[in-house]
Amino acid sequence: MRILQILTRKLSSTFSYRQLHSSSNPASFGIAFDIDGVLLRGSNPIGASPRALKRLYDHAGILKVPYVFLTNGGGVPESKRAKELGGLLDVNILPLQVIQGHTPFKQLMRRFENELVVAVGKGEPAEVMSEYGFKNVLSIDEYASCFDNIDPLAQYKKWTDKQDVNQNNKSKHIALSNDPCLQRVQAVFVVSDSVDWSRDIQVLCDILRTGGLPGKEIAHQPPLFFANDDLAYQALFPSERLGMGAFRIALESVFNAVHPAVLKYTSYGKPNPFVFNNAETVLMQVLQSCHNNHQVDGRKQHFKTLYMIGDNPSVDIKGARQAGIPWFSILTRTGVFKGKENHDDFPADLVVDTVEEAVDYILNKECIS
């Protein structure tokens, strides 16, 4: 009887240790989700995305599989986007998990921290840059409002009803610093899709041709940065919509036609391999947050597989293929790609109908229930 009790205690102790070890053992894989065309179309969840994401959490709502959102979109701070996504997808999302096209702009903050920079795009481009630490930033709306008649078509744009807001912002920034009209713009950041192409191309040509002083003589072009170079993306309309890459082509064509030197610029976003390398680093940080009671040594822990789930072969799949091992690409049919077979030019490692099917495949392959 005593021998049986000893064996029972030993087996119970072994089971408890294994159960604890299993629950705290870091995952050897991570997932990067594109957003538009994979998880959402507009603000509507698609492909049973809320249900798919819930499978990455345990019954207590604790994240058990590290994942990030790797999108070329943006226009709002990562903290705000995380909150929006959490509401739409019904899961708890950390700002750390949101990697937007403009997120790498953070790394340029020290270079331009106190310099006058202009932020272009929909949403809150100046707020985005301010959150990154840029201290003297104006949106292109605010900047254009500083110059009388800089947009010759403004009188015909009946939809513009923000003049009071722009003037208030102008006063706010002038109170904090010198008149922007007298300062040289040191850099331009295209944070998100331009809303007013005609005005933005006009004003950007003015800035870039004159060394940052519109209306003055021709001078050296200040640096120009694009958050991504997507030619098209999937929105609510059945066919793809023109993206930031199309705006870049338009700006470049006009600038090169009116300026003796060609436009110089730097583009971020997928499929740039840098973006995927950065995503791996962030996924390791997310893994640390998943195991805050179990230290994960990033120098010893490596992901065996990183899954990129996207809908755009020339962006998501091309980027994962270029990044190489340990990336594994999964192409969904819910967005830009709608083909029956794999893509000819940028074939994915796996093609599925929906993001839920992609998550099912990953969890089955990784033996996660």
Side-chain angles (χ1 to χ4, degrees), residues 170-191:
K170 175 184 174 182
S171 300
K172 175 187 68 177
H173 284 278
I174 291 175
L176 293 173
S177 60
N178 295 324
D179 187 344
C181 297
L182 303 177
Q183 293 185 69
R184 191 179 295 276
V185 175
Q186 297 297 327
V188 174
F189 294 86
V190 184
V191 174

Side-chain angles (χ1 to χ4, degrees), residues 11 38 57 70 73 87 93 98 106 128 134 142 164 180 206-207 218 239 244 253 288 310 319 334 338:
L11 286 170
V38 173
Y57 297 78
L70 188 57
I93 297 169
V98 180
K106 293 178 183 179
V128 168
F134 293 81
E142 296 166 339
D164 291 340
D206 288 332
I207 293 171
I218 302 299
S239 59
M244 192 181 296
S253 298
Q288 288 274 8
T334 48
K338 301 178 180 67

Side-chain angles (χ1 to χ4, degrees), residues 30-39 52-53 56 67-71 270 276 306-312 316-317 320 327-334 348 350 352-362:
I31 306 174
F33 293 94
D34 184 34
I35 298 176
D36 297 317
V38 173
L39 300 169
L53 289 180
L56 306 181
Y67 75 89
V68 295
F69 300 96
L70 188 57
T71 175
K270 299 173 291 185
F276 289 82
L306 293 172
Y307 297 93
M308 176 69 229
I309 305 176
D311 70 301
N312 192 329
D316 304 310
I317 306 308
W327 287 94
F328 182 97
S329 58
I330 303 179
L331 181 60
T332 70
R333 297 186 176 95
T334 48
L350 176 69
V352 297
D353 288 330
T354 67
V355 67
E356 184 177 36
E357 187 178 337
V359 170
D360 284 343
Y361 170 84
I362 293 169

Side-chain angles (χ1 to χ4, degrees), residues 177-234:
S177 60
N178 295 324
D179 187 344
C181 297
L182 303 177
Q183 293 185 69
R184 191 179 295 276
V185 175
Q186 297 297 327
V188 174
F189 294 86
V190 184
V191 174
S192 50
D193 292 323
S194 166
V195 176
D196 186 347
W197 281 33
S198 68
R199 183 205 62 185
D200 291 356
I201 289 175
Q202 176 69 75
V203 175
L204 290 181
C205 282
D206 288 332
I207 293 171
L208 299 171
R209 294 181 69 211
T210 62
L213 290 170
K216 304 299 182 181
E217 68 280 356
I218 302 299
H220 184 69
Q221 179 203 318
L224 171 63
F225 303 96
F226 288 90
N228 70 69
D229 205 30
D230 284 2
L231 181 62
Y233 65 98
Q234 184 63 57

Side-chain angles (χ1 to χ4, degrees), residues 79-301:
S79 57
K80 185 172 182 177
R81 187 62 170 145
K83 186 175 181 179
E84 291 175 351
L85 287 170
L88 293 170
L89 299 170
D90 196 26
V91 289
N92 182 41
I93 297 169
L94 301 173
L96 173 66
Q97 291 175 272
V98 180
I99 306 174
Q100 303 186 98
H102 48 69
T103 301
F105 289 171
K106 293 178 183 179
Q107 300 181 17
L108 297 169
M109 186 272 293
R110 292 193 181 278
R111 178 178 170 188
F112 300 105
E113 181 176 5
N114 297 303
E115 307 288 354
L116 175 62
V117 301
V118 171
V120 181
K122 67 182 181 183
E124 305 165 358
E127 288 300 316
V128 168
M129 302 301 287
S130 293
E131 279 212 3
Y132 292 164
F134 293 81
K135 294 182 172 59
N136 195 10
V137 55
L138 290 174
S139 72
I140 197 164
D141 290 341
E142 296 166 339
Y143 187 74
S145 72
C146 297
F147 297 85
D148 294 333
N149 305 314
I150 196 169
D151 179 10
L153 301 177
Q155 60 181 309
Y156 302 104
K157 297 173 182 177
K158 303 303 182 183
W159 67 86
T160 56
D161 56 358
K162 300 180 181 179
Q163 285 304 307
D164 291 340
V165 175
N166 286 340
Q167 292 300 327
N168 289 338
N169 283 327
K170 175 184 174 182
S171 300
K172 175 187 68 177
H173 284 278
I174 291 175
L176 293 173
S177 60
N178 295 324
D179 187 344
C181 297
L182 303 177
Q183 293 185 69
R184 191 179 295 276
V185 175
Q186 297 297 327
V188 174
F189 294 86
V190 184
V191 174
S192 50
D193 292 323
S194 166
V195 176
D196 186 347
W197 281 33
S198 68
R199 183 205 62 185
D200 291 356
I201 289 175
Q202 176 69 75
V203 175
L204 290 181
C205 282
D206 288 332
I207 293 171
L208 299 171
R209 294 181 69 211
T210 62
L213 290 170
K216 304 299 182 181
E217 68 280 356
I218 302 299
H220 184 69
Q221 179 203 318
L224 171 63
F225 303 96
F226 288 90
N228 70 69
D229 205 30
D230 284 2
L231 181 62
Y233 65 98
Q234 184 63 57
L236 288 171
F237 197 73
S239 59
E240 299 91 66
R241 302 292 83 194
L242 296 177
M244 192 181 296
F247 175 75
R248 191 266 305 161
I249 292 171
L251 172 62
E252 187 174 20
S253 298
V254 173
F255 183 88
N256 291 349
V258 300
H259 191 69
V262 298
L263 183 70
K264 296 179 181 179
Y265 62 90
T266 302
S267 289
Y268 292 87
K270 299 173 291 185
N272 192 323
F274 160 83
V275 174
F276 289 82
N277 293 335
N278 180 59
E280 183 172 1
T281 300
V282 175
L283 278 164
M284 187 59 66
Q285 294 171 356
V286 174
L287 184 66
Q288 288 274 8
S289 72
C290 293
H291 296 269
N292 53 7
N293 294 323
H294 177 83
Q295 184 64 29
V296 179
D297 188 342
R299 294 168 297 178
K300 297 179 181 179
Q301 173 71 23

